[in-house]
């Protein structure tokens, strides 16, 4: 009863807001808000642009992205919007400025506007219970996009294999330092992601699990002693937060000339802060191995310049393709399991996983997981330019294809 009342109240509030804004009352489905940010680049096409099945009415999909302040979400929002529109759906796209409250409101408004399906990249995986319960009560399916939502009304999860992202970072460091053969010891530090993001511990544990045996044997040393996730986490993945902590660590543990060999960063926004600190404040003459994730344009520049060593690239164009085909299946009342992959014709790998992700203890969320890849200065053009994700700009650095 409570949930229903809340939903009706929210619907009334939202409709009056829309009416004030001249949105046209109840027939405003698909009045897409701004997608902003960079234009989508090329990518694998796995979906036919067929008319959505149904009784003639165009269906509306709500796409809730976390923020425009981090490059990748602009790409995700643009790809999703473009692909759903090309397939004949109406879309509503929102970015919520990394504020959970705002994302709750944005999703509530989408429900009020009568969306048929929600795609949500959560700012706080634990912060959406009210709207998730409302969506469940209204029978609206929810695809948790990239980040799991810790609510049992998450119908499906589409992401990359998050633990593997971390193992790729850890393995890169292991190989670059030749930990199995070199005498060592080597000094290393860690920077992880946002504790509110369910992905962040997966990335961190993936990397740490690869490197832990060498820490245990003494071949790797962490001079700061900071290895617990909470000690190395970065609120909202912010570059400035990562920069501050890196400066403190360098000042406290390396200003006496201690050599820094590697710094594992879970993604590119944190890598950006750590790289800046190392460039400015680290006195040693060696190249510090620094990892990342996402292939953000500014980080690709740093990689080309030798300031960052690698990034784990996740083809978000393909993540959008999987999301579209999954959404179509759900909205058409078709089976959405491993058979979706075999029938898809996708030209990239994706696994159907019913074990790895739980929304609440014991409640597994069926997941479609794509495969991340390592990008370095040496393979950047092969991995990113050849498939059409980026192009080489006039200055020799990579830039977004249509940006
Ligand atoms: C994660 C996402 C990463 C990275 C990070 C910061 O959830 O999987 O690709 O973008 O958020 O936005």
């Amino acid at each position: 009863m409570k949930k229903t009342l809340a939903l009706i109240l929210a619907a009334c509030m939202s409709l009056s807001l829309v009416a004030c804004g001249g949105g046209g009352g109840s027939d405003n489905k698909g009045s897409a808000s701004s997608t902003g940010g960079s234009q989508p680049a090329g990518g694998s096409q796995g979906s036919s642009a067929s008319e959505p099945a149904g009784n003639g009415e165009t269906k509306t999909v709500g796409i809730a992205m976390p923020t425009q302040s981090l490059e990748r979400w602009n790409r995700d929002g643009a790809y999703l919007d473009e692909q759903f529109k090309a397939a004949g759906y109406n879309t509503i796209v929102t970015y919520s400025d990394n504020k959970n409250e705002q994302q709750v409101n944005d999703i509530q408004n989408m429900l009020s506007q009568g969306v048929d399906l929600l795609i949500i990249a959560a700012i706080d995986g634990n912060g959406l219970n009210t709207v998730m319960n409302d969506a469940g009560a209204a029978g609206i399916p929810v695809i948790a996009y990239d980040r799991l939502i810790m609510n049992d009304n998450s119908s499906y999860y589409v992401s990359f294999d998050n633990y593997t992202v971390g193992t790729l970072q850890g393995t890169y460091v292991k190989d670059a330092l030749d930990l199995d053969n070199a005498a060592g010891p080597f000094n290393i530090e860690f920077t992880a992601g946002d504790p509110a993001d369910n992905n962040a511990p997966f990335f961190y544990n993936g990397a740490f699990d690869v490197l832990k045996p060498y820490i245990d044997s003494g071949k790797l040393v962490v001079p700061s002693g900071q290895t617990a996730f909470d000690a190395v986490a970065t609120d909202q993945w912010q570059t400035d937060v990562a920069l501050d902590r890196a400066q403190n660590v360098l000042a406290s543990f390396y200003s006496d000339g201690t050599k820094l060999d590697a710094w594992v960063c879970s993604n590119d926004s944190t890598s950006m802060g750590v790289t800046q600190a190392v460039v400015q404040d680290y006195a040693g003459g060696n190249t510090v191995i620094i990892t990342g994730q996402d292939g953000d344009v500014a980080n690709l520049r740093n990689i080309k310049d030798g300031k960052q060593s690698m990034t784990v690239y996740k083809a978000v164009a393909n993540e959008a393709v999987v999301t579209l085909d999954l959404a179509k299946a759900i909205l058409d009342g078709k089976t959405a399991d491993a058979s979706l992959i075999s029938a898809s014709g996708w030209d990239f790998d994706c696994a159907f996983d019913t074990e790895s992700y739980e929304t609440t203890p014991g409640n597994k969320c069926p997941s479609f997981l794509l495969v991340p890849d390592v990008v370095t200065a040496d393979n950047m053009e092969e991995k990113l330019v050849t498939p059409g994700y980026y192009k080489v700009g006039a200055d020799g650095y990579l830039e977004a294809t249509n940006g």
Side-chain angles (χ1 to χ4, degrees), residues 70 72-73 146-147 197 199 203 237 267 293-294 314:
L70 293 177
R72 78 152 285 187
W73 302 112
D146 202 85
R147 299 171 171 175
D197 179 347
N199 289 352
F203 301 146
W237 298 93
N267 87 328
Q293 171 191 190
D294 288 335
K314 306 192 294 194

Side-chain angles (χ1 to χ4, degrees), residues 10-229:
C12 293
M13 277 175 63
S14 171
L15 282 177
S16 61
L17 281 177
V18 167
C20 287
S26 61
D27 191 27
N28 70 328
K29 276 176 109 183
S31 56
S33 57
S34 140
T35 55
S38 56
Q39 291 295 308
S44 304
Q45 293 298 316
S47 304
S48 60
S50 61
E51 280 297 306
N55 49 15
E57 198 191 333
T58 304
K59 292 194 169 142
T60 300
V61 174
I63 300 167
M65 294 290 110
T67 178
Q68 289 193 287
S69 68
L70 293 177
E71 183 186 316
R72 78 152 285 187
W73 302 112
N74 295 282
R75 280 188 270 129
D76 291 274
Y79 282 128
L80 287 164
D81 189 42
E82 181 185 73
Q83 294 193 22
F84 274 88
K85 277 188 178 141
Y89 294 94
N90 288 331
T91 59
I92 303 172
V93 184
T94 58
Y95 294 88
S96 306
D97 200 20
N98 256 343
K99 297 189 177 87
N100 181 62
E101 288 295 296
Q102 189 175 324
Q103 190 167 49
V104 169
N105 285 339
D106 288 340
I107 296 168
Q108 203 78 61
N109 284 338
M110 289 176 180
L111 288 171
S112 310
Q113 291 177 63
V115 291
D116 298 285
L117 180 139
L118 284 165
I119 297 163
I120 302 172
I123 293 163
D124 181 343
N126 290 297
L128 296 177
N129 277 325
T130 306
V131 276
M132 288 297 289
N133 292 341
D134 288 347
I140 305 301
V142 178
I143 298 175
Y145 181 84
D146 202 85
R147 299 171 171 175
L148 191 60
I149 304 167
M150 314 317 283
N151 180 288
D152 293 349
N153 289 312
S154 310
S155 319
Y156 290 92
Y157 180 42
V158 175
S159 193
F160 283 78
D161 183 331
N162 296 305
Y163 185 82
T164 296
V165 169
T167 63
L168 291 173
Q169 294 166 338
T171 303
Y172 183 90
V173 170
K174 170 177 148 308
D175 293 345
L177 293 176
D178 195 15
L179 290 179
D180 285 331
N181 301 303
F186 300 101
N187 292 329
I188 189 167
E189 298 292 340
F190 294 87
T191 292
D194 185 356
D197 179 347
N198 188 62
N199 289 352
F202 281 89
F203 301 146
Y204 185 64
N205 293 337
F208 197 79
D209 288 352
V210 172
L211 299 172
K212 185 173 183 299
Y214 304 96
I215 294 173
D216 290 346
S217 73
K219 195 172 278 191
L220 276 180
V221 177
V222 187
S224 72
Q226 296 169 15
T227 55
F229 173 80

Side-chain angles (χ1 to χ4, degrees), residues 76-397:
D76 291 274
Y79 282 128
L80 287 164
D81 189 42
E82 181 185 73
Q83 294 193 22
F84 274 88
K85 277 188 178 141
Y89 294 94
N90 288 331
T91 59
I92 303 172
V93 184
T94 58
Y95 294 88
S96 306
D97 200 20
N98 256 343
K99 297 189 177 87
N100 181 62
E101 288 295 296
Q102 189 175 324
Q103 190 167 49
V104 169
N105 285 339
D106 288 340
I107 296 168
Q108 203 78 61
N109 284 338
M110 289 176 180
L111 288 171
S112 310
Q113 291 177 63
V115 291
D116 298 285
L117 180 139
L118 284 165
I119 297 163
I120 302 172
I123 293 163
D124 181 343
N126 290 297
L128 296 177
N129 277 325
T130 306
V131 276
M132 288 297 289
N133 292 341
D134 288 347
I140 305 301
V142 178
I143 298 175
Y145 181 84
D146 202 85
R147 299 171 171 175
L148 191 60
I149 304 167
M150 314 317 283
N151 180 288
D152 293 349
N153 289 312
S154 310
S155 319
Y156 290 92
Y157 180 42
V158 175
S159 193
F160 283 78
D161 183 331
N162 296 305
Y163 185 82
T164 296
V165 169
T167 63
L168 291 173
Q169 294 166 338
T171 303
Y172 183 90
V173 170
K174 170 177 148 308
D175 293 345
L177 293 176
D178 195 15
L179 290 179
D180 285 331
N181 301 303
F186 300 101
N187 292 329
I188 189 167
E189 298 292 340
F190 294 87
T191 292
D194 185 356
D197 179 347
N198 188 62
N199 289 352
F202 281 89
F203 301 146
Y204 185 64
N205 293 337
F208 197 79
D209 288 352
V210 172
L211 299 172
K212 185 173 183 299
Y214 304 96
I215 294 173
D216 290 346
S217 73
K219 195 172 278 191
L220 276 180
V221 177
V222 187
S224 72
Q226 296 169 15
T227 55
F229 173 80
D230 286 343
V232 301
T234 309
D235 192 35
Q236 297 208 326
W237 298 93
Q238 290 181 67
T239 298
D240 285 354
V241 175
L243 169 65
D244 278 357
R245 179 173 163 266
Q247 286 179 322
N248 285 334
V249 167
L250 289 173
S252 304
F253 303 99
Y254 293 87
S255 57
D256 61 355
T258 299
K259 189 179 176 210
L260 171 66
D261 295 290
W263 200 310
V264 173
C265 300
S266 284
N267 87 328
D268 279 351
S269 59
T270 54
S271 186
M272 194 53 97
V274 167
T275 299
Q276 194 182 323
V278 167
V279 168
Q280 286 172 2
D281 297 349
Y282 175 60
N286 62 301
T287 299
V288 180
I289 297 160
I290 301 177
T291 68
Q293 171 191 190
D294 288 335
D296 288 352
V297 167
N299 296 76
L300 294 174
R301 292 181 81 92
N302 277 352
I303 291 174
K304 192 169 165 60
D305 289 346
K307 295 181 195 161
Q308 180 177 327
S309 313
M310 61 87 84
T311 188
V312 176
Y313 185 68
K314 306 192 294 194
V316 295
N318 297 340
E319 197 172 5
V321 166
V322 173
T323 305
L324 171 61
D325 284 355
L326 173 60
K328 274 183 178 172
I330 297 168
L331 290 169
D332 293 353
K334 295 188 183 145
T335 311
D337 58 17
S339 63
L340 188 75
I341 299 172
S342 38
S344 68
W346 298 332
D347 61 358
F348 52 86
D349 290 333
C350 180
F352 182 62
D353 180 324
T354 54
E355 287 302 318
S356 301
Y357 291 95
E358 290 186 344
T359 51
T360 53
N363 189 71
K364 312 269 188 199
C365 188
S367 306
F368 290 88
L369 302 177
L370 294 96
V371 181
D373 207 358
V374 171
V375 167
T376 62
D378 292 340
N379 70 8
M380 200 180 272
E381 294 203 11
E382 172 207 336
K383 297 284 182 184
L384 300 182
V385 178
T386 307
Y389 303 131
Y390 297 81
K391 65 182 179 196
V392 182
D395 60 3
Y397 292 101

